[in-house]
Amino acid sequence: MKRPVLWATIITICGIYLRLGRSEMICLASFVFMVAIVSRYVILTKRWNYCLFLLFAVFGFLYAGVAYKTDTDKVLLKGIVSGSGIVKDAGETSSGNQRLTIIGDLEDETGAVSQSVKIYAIWTGEGKLAAGDRVAFEGESAEFYTQTVPGGYDEDLYLRTKGYTYKIYPIWMEYLGEDHSIGSEIARGRAKVHQTLERILPENESGIMKAMLTGNRDDIPEDGYRLYTDAGVVHVLCISGLHMSCLALYVSFFMEKILKRSRRCSAVITMLSALGFLAFTGFTPSAVRAVTMICVVMTGRVLFRSHDRLNEIAIAALLILLIEPLYLFHAGFQLSFVTVLGLCLAADVVGMERKRKRTWKEWLKDSLVFSLYASLFSFPIVAYHFHSVSTIGILANLVIIPLSGLLLGFGILSMVLGMIYLPLGIFSAGSVYVILQIFKGTCTALLQLPFSCILTGQPSEMIILLYYGLLFCWLKFRDRKFGWKAAILLSGMLFISIYQNNLFWKETTIAFLDVGQGDCAVISTAENKTYLIDGGGEYGKDFGENVGKYTVVPYLEYLGIDILDGVFLSHPDKDHMIGLLETLEMIPAKALYVSDYPFEETEDILLLKEIVEKNKVPLYTVKAGDKDQGFVCLYPEEVFHTGDDNHGSMVLKYGYAGVDVLFTGDILAEDEGFLVTAGTDLSADILKVSHHGSRYSSSEAFLQAVCPETAIISCGENNIYGHPHEDVIERLYDAGTKKICRTDLDGSVLVRIRKNGTYTIDSMSERKPLYENIKEKLEKQ
C-alpha cells in the first residue's frame, strides 16, 4: 500500500466523525468510504491483513468518544467559586473588558476543588492585569454558550478546542506578584513585542503586525479584518504555513549562506527555530501543521531521507487530532489542511522539482496555478464557516504572498531594532508601513470589481462532499478517457446533488431566532423570498452592538440573503425593534410594514424614521384585512385599545401549503378578546405565543380559537419577568397543543414546511452528534 500513514489518518478521521458528526449522510458516506477503500486493497492484493486498517476507525471512534465524554460529563464547580493561579494571556473583549486566560485551582462554597484547570475569565473591574501575573480571585462560574442560532458563534466548541474548562466572571481580583516560569516569560516577551510594535507603527498597522508576529488578533480594526476577509487574503493575519515557511527559509539561508554551515546543521537549527516560534505564538492548528511538516522535511535532511508531502500532511493532522479530536470541526484546522493539500497538488502540476530557472511568464503562470488550486480547495470550507467567498483572492494573492515574506522579515527586523534603539526601529518600520499600504490598496482596488465577494450562505455538508468528489474526478480523470469508474462516481454525485438540491426539494422555513428576551422570526419561502418579523433587542446594549448585528444578520448571511423582500415590525418596543433597525442598516429591504396605530413618539421611533429615510426603505402601515404574498393582517382593527403600545401589536397569519402560522406580537388579553368576539379566523397550526408567555396574554378563549398543534415561546433564559408563566403553559396544553418549544431552553426553533402540507420542527438544542441522538432514543425505549 502506498502512503499507509495517509490512509490510516483518513480512516481515523472517518472514525472520529462517526462518533462526533451530526450529519446522517456524512456518517454513512464515511462508513461506506472506509469499507470501500479497505475492500479495494483486499480484493486487489488478496491480502486480508489490510482489514486491520479498520482498527484505525475503531480507534478514532473510541478515542473521540472518550474525549467527548470527558468534556461533557465532567463535574464542574457551580455558583460562586474562589481560586488562584497564573495569568497566561491577557486581551480585550469586543465590549472593552479584559479577557484573561488563567491556569490555576478553584474551590466552590461546598469545598469541592478543581486543580490545574484552564480558566476563561472576563474581568470588568478596575486595574489591568498582565500575562505572568499571579492572582487570587472570586467570581461566578458560568457555562459556555452553545450555538443557539444557525450560523452564529459557538463559544462552547471554540473554548473546548482551546482546552478551557471554566468561564468565570470575577467579582474581585488581587495581584499577588509575578511568576517566572518559562511560560510566563514567553508571555511577557509577547507583551514586550506588542509594546514595541505600538511605538514604531500607527495603531491599525501595529494591530496587523501583532497578528503576524505573535498570533494576537485582538487589535486588528474591524474594518481592516473585513477588508482582508472579503479580498480572500485573511490567511496573512493568522500564524500559518506562509509565516512558518518564510521563517524556515530565513533561518536556512542565514545558516547555510551567511554562516556557511552544513545542511544537516542548518536543518536542526531550523527545526528548533520553528518549534520556538510555535511556542511563542501559540499552538494553533495551522501553525502546528506547518511546524510538523517543516520538522519532517528537516528530519529527512538530517537523515538523508526523501520526504512525501501527503504523508507530512497526514502526520500533522493525526498529531493535532490526537491532542483534541474536536479540532476536526474547527475552521482553522479544515482550511489549513485542505489549502495545503491544494498547494501540494499544484506543485505536482507545475513541476516544482525542476531546477532550471523560470522566466517571469513561467513564474506568473505557476503562481496563478498555485493560487487557483488553493482557492478551489478552500472555497467550500470558507463558504461553510464564513458564508461568502472571494473570487479575487486568486489575483490578490499574486501581490500579497510574494510581499508577505518581505513583510515578515522587515517586521521582525523593525521589532528587534525598536527594542534596541527606538528611532532606528521607527525608521525601519517605514518599509513595513509601505508594504501594508500596498496590501490595503490592492484589496480595496480589487474589491471594486463586480462579483468580487459573493455571499453564498452555508452549503450543506453533502454539497461540500459533492464538490470535492467532482474536484477529485477532474484531477483523477482529466488526462484519461471517460471510463466506468468515472461514470459510477459521477452518477453517485448526481444522486447526491438531486437529493440535497433545493431546486428539486422546495420547502418554506420559518426560524424563530433565539434573541434573548425578545421576538424575531425569519421566513424563507419556497419561492426564494425572505421576510423578517421583528428583530429582537436587548435592553442596556447600545445600538450597533445589539442582537441585530450579532444574531439576526449572521443568520441571514448563513442563508445567503443579501436583500429582504419584506420586514414587519409588530410594535416599537426595544425587544422587538432594535435588532430590526440594526438589520436594516446592514441589509437592504424592499419594504417595511408597521401597524396602523398611534404609537407614542419616542427616541426609538425617531431612529426608525431616520434609518428608513437614510436607506430609502418604502414604509407602509397595515391594519386588519390587508393581504400580501401569503400574509394576512388580523390586527389592529380600526377600533382598538389605547394606553399601552402593546395594544397596537400587529397580528399576522402566514400560510403555505395549508399550514398556517399565527404571529401575535405582544397583544394582551383585551386584544385577544376583541379578536375572538369579532369572529376573526384565528385557527393556526403553529402559534407564536404572545408577549413571551406572559400571564396577561394567551387567554383560554383565544387559545381555544387558535387551537394550535405547536406553540413557540420566545423568551430569555432566566429572565426577570418569569416568562413563560406556568398558567400559560397549562392553558396551551388544555387547548390541545401537542408540542411547546421555548427559545430559552431549545435555542432557535426551525419549522420546515413542505409542499405536501407536512412540517417538521427542529431546535438547536437537538443538534447533537448523531451517535448521541441514537443513544438517547435507545435509552428512552
Side-chain angles (χ1 to χ4, degrees):
M1 174 183 281
K2 189 178 180 180
R3 300 191 178 102
V5 175
L6 175 63
W7 288 114
T9 301
I10 292 173
I11 292 174
T12 301
I13 288 174
C14 290
I16 293 174
Y17 193 90
L18 286 172
R19 180 59 181 84
L20 301 179
R22 297 176 180 176
S23 170
E24 295 180 12
M25 289 296 293
I26 296 293
C27 285
L28 177 62
S30 299
F31 180 80
V32 171
F33 173 78
M34 64 185 184
V35 171
I37 289 297
V38 172
S39 300
R40 177 179 181 271
Y41 277 102
V42 170
I43 294 171
L44 291 178
T45 63
K46 309 297 183 183
R47 296 173 62 181
W48 289 93
N49 57 341
Y50 281 116
C51 292
L52 295 176
F53 270 85
L54 292 177
L55 292 178
F56 286 101
V58 176
F59 168 76
F61 183 90
L62 296 177
Y63 185 75
V66 170
Y68 183 83
K69 185 177 178 64
T70 301
D71 285 340
T72 56
D73 295 351
K74 192 178 294 180
V75 178
L76 301 180
L77 305 182
K78 304 289 185 180
I80 301 299
V81 297
S82 59
S84 61
I86 301 168
V87 177
K88 293 298 183 181
D89 187 37
E92 277 194 0
T93 65
S94 58
S95 55
N97 297 317
Q98 193 169 25
R99 170 183 50 78
L100 304 171
T101 296
I102 302 173
I103 304 294
D105 302 333
L106 287 178
E107 182 178 354
D108 67 8
E109 295 173 316
T110 67
V113 177
S114 287
Q115 295 182 330
S116 300
V117 291
K118 192 173 183 179
I119 304 162
Y120 182 79
I122 306 297
W123 173 234
T124 59
E126 297 180 357
K128 296 293 184 181
L129 295 165
D133 291 346
R134 291 189 295 109
V135 296
F137 54 88
E138 183 178 87
E140 183 177 0
S141 175
E143 294 182 356
F144 299 156
Y145 292 121
T146 57
Q147 187 183 40
T148 62
V149 177
Y153 173 54
D154 191 344
E155 182 187 70
D156 180 68
L157 176 62
Y158 176 78
L159 293 182
R160 282 168 62 187
T161 54
K162 293 290 185 180
Y164 290 97
T165 306
Y166 288 92
K167 181 173 70 172
I168 292 177
Y169 293 92
I171 301 170
W172 59 263
M173 297 194 79
E174 180 182 356
Y175 172 74
L176 300 178
E178 290 186 352
D179 177 70
H180 294 285
S181 63
I182 295 177
S184 295
E185 293 301 331
I186 290 175
R188 289 194 187 92
R190 281 197 299 266
K192 190 172 182 181
V193 169
H194 291 172
Q195 293 171 1
T196 303
L197 291 173
E198 289 170 356
R199 297 175 70 185
I200 65 176
L201 285 168
E203 182 179 0
N204 291 350
E205 285 71 22
S206 68
I208 293 174
M209 292 311 299
K210 287 178 189 177
M212 290 192 67
L213 298 181
T214 70
N216 187 322
R217 293 185 288 174
D218 290 344
D219 295 330
I220 300 177
E222 186 176 349
D223 56 345
Y225 188 81
R226 186 72 184 183
L227 176 68
Y228 280 73
T229 301
D230 291 345
V233 293
V234 73
H235 55 85
V236 301
L237 303 180
C238 311
I239 302 296
S240 63
L242 175 64
H243 303 74
M244 292 296 182
S245 299
C246 290
L247 176 67
L249 182 64
Y250 285 137
V251 173
S252 295
F253 178 84
F254 180 77
M255 294 298 297
E256 293 182 25
K257 303 298 182 182
I258 306 299
L259 299 183
K260 305 298 182 180
R261 300 297 179 184
S262 66
R263 294 191 70 192
R264 298 180 75 179
C265 178
S266 65
V268 173
I269 300 300
T270 299
M271 278 194 289
L272 294 176
S273 300
L275 290 170
F277 191 57
L278 178 65
F280 181 75
T281 58
F283 295 84
T284 61
S286 56
V288 172
R289 188 267 310 157
V291 170
T292 302
M293 294 181 67
I294 289 172
C295 288
V296 171
V297 174
M298 294 299 109
T299 301
R301 282 191 179 185
V302 172
L303 300 177
F304 298 107
R305 295 288 187 272
S306 61
H307 63 90
D308 181 87
R309 298 189 190 98
L310 294 181
N311 274 335
E312 293 165 13
I313 297 172
I315 293 171
L318 190 59
L319 176 63
I320 294 172
L321 292 175
L322 287 177
I323 296 172
E324 176 54 73
L326 281 173
Y327 268 125
L328 180 62
F329 305 94
H330 191 278
F333 175 89
Q334 296 172 6
L335 279 173
S336 177
F337 282 94
V338 299
T339 302
V340 78
L341 177 61
L343 293 174
C344 289
L345 295 176
D348 293 335
V349 171
V350 302
M352 286 300 292
E353 300 302 327
R354 64 192 179 193
K355 303 297 183 181
R356 67 181 181 83
K357 188 176 180 180
R358 292 178 295 172
T359 66
W360 71 269
K361 291 182 179 181
E362 290 176 325
W363 176 89
L364 180 61
K365 177 184 176 182
D366 291 349
S367 298
L368 281 171
V369 171
F370 273 104
S371 189
L372 176 63
Y373 270 64
S375 297
L376 286 176
F377 274 79
S378 63
F379 274 160
I381 307 299
V382 171
Y384 185 83
H385 290 285
F386 305 106
H387 313 143
S388 63
V389 295
S390 172
T391 59
I392 60 170
I394 298 172
L395 298 177
N397 280 313
L398 293 178
V399 176
I400 300 296
I401 290 181
L403 290 178
S404 292
L406 291 175
L407 179 62
L408 185 64
F410 281 123
I412 293 174
L413 177 64
S414 301
M415 179 265 296
V416 172
L417 293 176
M419 288 182 176
I420 299 172
Y421 184 58
L422 185 61
L424 196 57
I426 294 174
F427 176 79
S428 176
S431 57
V432 175
Y433 180 84
V434 170
I435 294 175
L436 288 176
Q437 295 309 304
I438 294 174
F439 283 10
K440 182 178 179 180
T442 301
C443 295
T444 303
L446 290 175
L447 283 172
Q448 303 304 312
L449 297 174
F451 307 108
S452 57
C453 184
I454 301 174
L455 185 64
T456 60
Q458 186 183 83
S460 71
E461 292 171 323
M462 286 306 301
I463 290 296
I464 293 176
L465 190 64
L466 170 67
Y467 176 93
Y468 283 118
L470 290 171
L471 191 59
F472 168 77
C473 286
W474 176 68
L475 293 171
K476 185 73 174 176
F477 301 110
R478 68 181 187 275
D479 297 327
R480 305 181 188 179
K481 293 183 179 180
F482 189 84
W484 65 270
K485 295 179 181 178
I488 292 176
L489 285 171
L490 292 175
S491 298
M493 287 179 286
L494 180 62
F495 167 76
I496 293 172
S497 65
I498 294 175
Y499 179 82
Q500 288 283 313
N501 202 322
N502 287 333
L503 294 174
F504 298 93
W505 298 95
K506 290 283 188 178
E507 62 181 15
T508 290
T509 301
I510 304 176
F512 297 88
L513 300 185
D514 178 15
V515 290
Q517 185 65 18
D519 265 11
C520 179
V522 177
I523 302 177
S524 310
T525 73
E527 293 76 26
N528 297 319
K529 294 185 179 296
T530 306
Y531 302 94
L532 174 66
I533 301 178
D534 289 334
E538 293 187 28
Y539 289 92
K541 284 193 175 181
D542 296 334
F543 180 80
E545 299 295 326
N546 218 300
V547 296
K549 178 179 180 180
Y550 294 111
T551 301
V552 183
V553 170
Y555 176 71
L556 292 172
E557 291 178 346
Y558 161 85
L559 295 177
I561 303 302
D562 56 5
I563 187 170
L564 291 164
D565 294 280
V567 177
F568 296 86
L569 176 61
S570 65
H571 65 298
D573 278 2
K574 284 183 179 292
D575 58 341
H576 292 248
M577 184 171 73
I578 297 301
L580 181 147
L581 297 183
E582 287 181 338
T583 304
L584 288 178
E585 282 277 70
M586 302 175 71
I587 297 179
K590 294 181 180 179
L592 171 63
Y593 303 93
V594 299
S595 285
D596 188 3
Y597 182 88
F599 293 111
E600 180 182 354
E601 191 86 352
T602 63
E603 291 185 5
D604 293 332
I605 292 288
L606 296 177
L607 179 62
L608 167 66
K609 294 179 178 179
E610 178 185 336
I611 290 175
V612 166
E613 183 177 352
K614 181 176 69 174
N615 294 285
K616 299 179 180 179
V617 182
L619 178 63
Y620 303 95
T621 58
V622 295
K623 60 181 182 298
D626 291 339
K627 301 179 181 180
D628 189 29
Q629 302 187 55
F631 291 93
V632 179
C633 181
L634 306 180
Y635 196 79
E637 293 275 1
E638 294 183 359
V639 179
F640 40 70
H641 299 278
T642 57
D644 186 337
D645 282 351
N646 287 335
H647 290 306
S649 289
M650 183 190 306
V651 177
L652 285 174
K653 181 186 281 192
Y654 173 77
Y656 173 73
V659 177
D660 291 327
V661 185
L662 190 64
F663 300 88
T664 55
D666 277 357
I667 60 170
L668 302 176
E670 297 93 326
D671 310 297
E672 294 173 350
F674 183 92
L675 288 167
V676 172
T677 304
T680 305
D681 180 13
L682 298 171
S683 60
D685 301 279
I686 301 169
L687 169 67
K688 198 291 296 179
V689 176
S690 174
H691 209 176
H692 323 291
S694 167
R695 67 191 304 178
Y696 303 109
S697 299
S698 303
S699 62
E700 182 178 350
F702 179 77
L703 294 180
Q704 292 291 341
V706 179
C707 193
E709 183 179 39
T710 302
I712 313 292
I713 301 176
S714 182
C715 58
E717 185 178 8
N718 300 320
N719 63 83
I720 62 175
Y721 308 102
H723 295 161
H725 200 274
E726 293 179 0
D727 291 348
V728 174
I729 301 295
E730 185 177 343
R731 290 198 291 263
L732 281 167
Y733 282 125
D734 290 343
T737 303
K738 297 179 181 178
K739 184 171 185 177
I740 298 176
C741 299
R742 297 167 48 174
T743 58
D744 61 330
L745 301 180
D746 302 315
S748 298
V749 179
L750 283 75
V751 179
R752 292 183 173 87
I753 308 173
R754 302 186 184 90
K755 277 190 173 182
N756 61 8
T758 61
Y759 68 90
T760 59
I761 297 178
D762 175 32
S763 67
M764 291 299 293
S765 64
E766 296 172 346
R767 294 192 175 185
K768 300 177 182 178
L770 179 63
Y771 173 84
E772 294 296 324
N773 283 330
I774 294 174
K775 182 180 175 183
E776 288 180 4
K777 290 178 181 178
L778 292 176
E779 288 176 349
K780 288 179 181 179
Q781 292 178 356

